[in-house]
Amino acid sequence: MDLYDAMRTSASGLSAQRLRINLISANLANVHTTRTPEGGPYRRKEVVFQAAGGAFGDALRRAAAGGPPGEVRPLKIVEDVRPPVLKYDPGHPDADENGYVALPHVNVMEEMVNLMSATRSYEANLNAVRAARDMALKALEIGK
């Protein structure tokens, strides 16, 4: 595995975590959205990742054999299938005939934990890119 492979793998991780952070931000921004163009309240979104070039085990075997490691790619973005949370608020414009408003099933605490996890993963990939860059620079200094 050369430095280019390491940087490419970390870059795919950076891109994946950036997408995850964007979805978490959208979930937090729409925590009170009761009306969407599709109808009904906002549905929480989450990304499903896949190791590029096959299953995760295949990527590990390639890396162990000295081949290029696998990258991560978004497979799909899924919407939450849980029913909306009903809140009694008869004065709300979107309240039903019984006075209940359907709110998105977004747990702010869960989203914040996911955001912290995505941020830490992003930082780890960024540090790996920096380390590969530093190694490349040190290799260039050897030739001086």
Side-chain angles (χ1 to χ4, degrees):
M1 178 169 93
D2 62 12
L3 293 177
Y4 177 74
D5 289 333
M7 291 181 110
R8 190 177 70 232
T9 300
S10 292
S12 74
L14 287 169
S15 179
Q17 294 306 321
R18 185 185 64 224
L19 173 62
R20 187 172 168 214
I21 289 169
N22 287 342
L23 288 176
I24 293 168
S25 298
N27 292 340
L28 288 170
N30 288 293
V31 72
H32 295 294
T33 302
T34 58
R35 194 180 310 172
T36 62
E38 297 84 25
Y42 174 80
R43 293 271 184 194
R44 179 182 175 272
K45 293 174 179 52
E46 193 169 5
V47 65
V48 176
F49 295 117
Q50 174 184 4
F56 181 67
D58 295 338
L60 286 178
R61 281 189 283 284
R62 273 194 314 275
E71 298 174 24
V72 65
R73 299 226 171 109
L75 179 64
K76 60 184 172 181
I77 295 175
V78 294
E79 288 188 353
D80 196 354
V81 295
R82 296 179 289 187
V85 176
L86 297 177
K87 178 182 175 188
Y88 185 73
D89 187 2
H92 195 282
D94 289 330
D96 64 10
E97 62 277 352
N98 297 324
Y100 287 95
V101 178
L103 294 171
H105 202 288
V106 176
N107 183 336
V108 175
M109 293 304 238
E110 178 184 352
E111 296 299 326
M112 291 304 295
V113 169
N114 289 339
L115 182 60
M116 288 171 48
S117 171
T119 303
R120 292 289 193 311
S121 294
Y122 188 91
E123 289 172 355
N125 281 296
L126 190 58
N127 286 333
V129 168
R130 287 179 182 150
R133 180 199 63 197
D134 291 345
M135 284 192 288
L137 291 174
K138 289 291 183 188
L140 290 174
E141 289 178 11
I142 291 173
K144 287 184 180 180

